[in-house]
Amino acid sequence: MAVSCCCCPWVSVASSEREPLSTQLSRQSHQDTRSVLFQEKPFTVKRVYVTDIDTLFTNIIEAFNKQQADCLAIRAAIQDLKETSCCSPVSSLSVCIEKIQQEHSAYNVQVHMEGYRFWLDSREKDVPEKLEWAQQQVGELNRATKGVISTETKLQEMISLVLQSQEMLVERVKVTNPEYLDQIRLERNLRENIEKISLAKQFSKQYREEANSVLVEISKSANLTL
């Protein structure tokens, strides 16, 4: 027997104009408030007027903000899948997918996984709107998960370069900007940027952990072992 749920969003599958990710994220009250506030606001950095240092900071923040957006997309897709399958907020992703498979058992719904790529497949081309919606969300989950993972290595390398070279960066800012007041102001900018980079390092690791958790849950659904 098919499972119905009045809160499921699948009825809007034909429309791409769904609520913003920030609105979806705000519904996830089980998450830490400080993390939510942080994640709704991408990082920015201040200039220190040393070209290669400014470029490095910009590259780090652009990569981090992309990874942050992908992590938000992961959470939004999981939230949508939980609503589609009428799972509780604490249910695991694999449990939600199992419920989707049970509800649409007539369509032989299977999870396929190849490396970091995964998708929700059916033996039938014409599937119910609700199942199609779930397939789209799994596709978005895959895209966002790969995005988080692909960004991680290079991002951590750039962050480590900054954190290991802090005093050298300070000295270069001073030498390049000999006016005392400029030195004070730009060194303060540099210190603030480094603080943000240090925080970005922590959150980036958290994002990677969340992406890894998705892969573990998907592997369960695909009857694979990572």
Side-chain angles (χ1 to χ4, degrees), residues 21-122:
L21 290 181
S22 59
T23 303
Q24 295 176 357
L25 181 64
S26 68
R27 299 199 310 268
Q28 301 179 44
S29 58
H30 64 284
Q31 294 180 1
D32 179 79
T33 301
R34 179 173 176 272
S35 295
V36 172
L37 291 174
F38 167 83
Q39 290 158 353
E40 288 183 342
K41 189 174 183 180
F43 269 179
T44 59
V45 287
K46 296 181 178 179
R47 295 187 65 185
V48 297
Y49 293 93
V50 181
T51 301
D52 59 327
I53 298 177
D54 282 332
T55 299
L56 178 58
F57 280 130
T58 298
N59 290 342
I60 290 174
I61 292 307
E62 287 180 351
F64 173 76
N65 287 341
K66 178 185 180 302
Q67 190 183 55
Q68 182 188 80
D70 283 332
C71 190
L72 292 181
I74 287 176
R75 293 175 183 173
I78 291 175
Q79 176 71 14
D80 284 343
L81 285 168
K82 286 182 177 181
E83 292 180 355
T84 300
S85 60
C86 305
C87 283
S88 72
V90 296
S91 296
S92 68
L93 176 60
S94 58
V95 167
C96 294
I97 290 178
E98 183 179 358
K99 288 188 69 173
I100 292 170
Q101 290 175 305
Q102 290 173 349
E103 180 177 353
H104 301 285
S105 58
Y107 295 89
N108 191 27
V109 180
Q110 301 292 328
V111 176
H112 296 279
M113 187 175 192
E114 296 177 356
Y116 292 145
R117 180 171 174 258
F118 55 83
W119 64 98
L120 194 62
D121 197 14
S122 169

Side-chain angles (χ1 to χ4, degrees), residues 90-188:
V90 296
S91 296
S92 68
L93 176 60
S94 58
V95 167
C96 294
I97 290 178
E98 183 179 358
K99 288 188 69 173
I100 292 170
Q101 290 175 305
Q102 290 173 349
E103 180 177 353
H104 301 285
S105 58
Y107 295 89
N108 191 27
V109 180
Q110 301 292 328
V111 176
H112 296 279
M113 187 175 192
E114 296 177 356
Y116 292 145
R117 180 171 174 258
F118 55 83
W119 64 98
L120 194 62
D121 197 14
S122 169
R123 67 184 177 189
E124 303 293 339
K125 291 185 178 181
D126 295 325
V127 298
E129 207 171 33
K130 187 176 179 181
L131 177 55
E132 183 181 356
W133 168 262
Q135 289 176 311
Q136 289 180 4
Q137 295 315 301
V138 171
E140 172 62 7
L141 183 60
N142 180 227
R143 181 205 64 76
T145 300
K146 289 192 297 183
V148 169
I149 293 171
S150 65
T151 303
E152 176 69 7
T153 301
K154 183 61 176 178
L155 177 58
Q156 290 297 335
E157 287 177 356
M158 292 189 293
I159 290 175
S160 295
L161 178 61
V162 168
L163 298 182
Q164 293 170 7
S165 310
Q166 295 183 47
E167 296 310 314
M168 182 187 72
L169 297 178
V170 170
E171 190 59 32
R172 288 194 58 199
V173 168
K174 289 180 178 179
V175 170
T176 308
N177 301 276
E179 292 294 332
Y180 178 73
L181 292 180
D182 284 342
Q183 285 184 4
I184 298 300
R185 176 175 61 86
L186 296 177
E187 184 178 345
R188 183 170 61 248

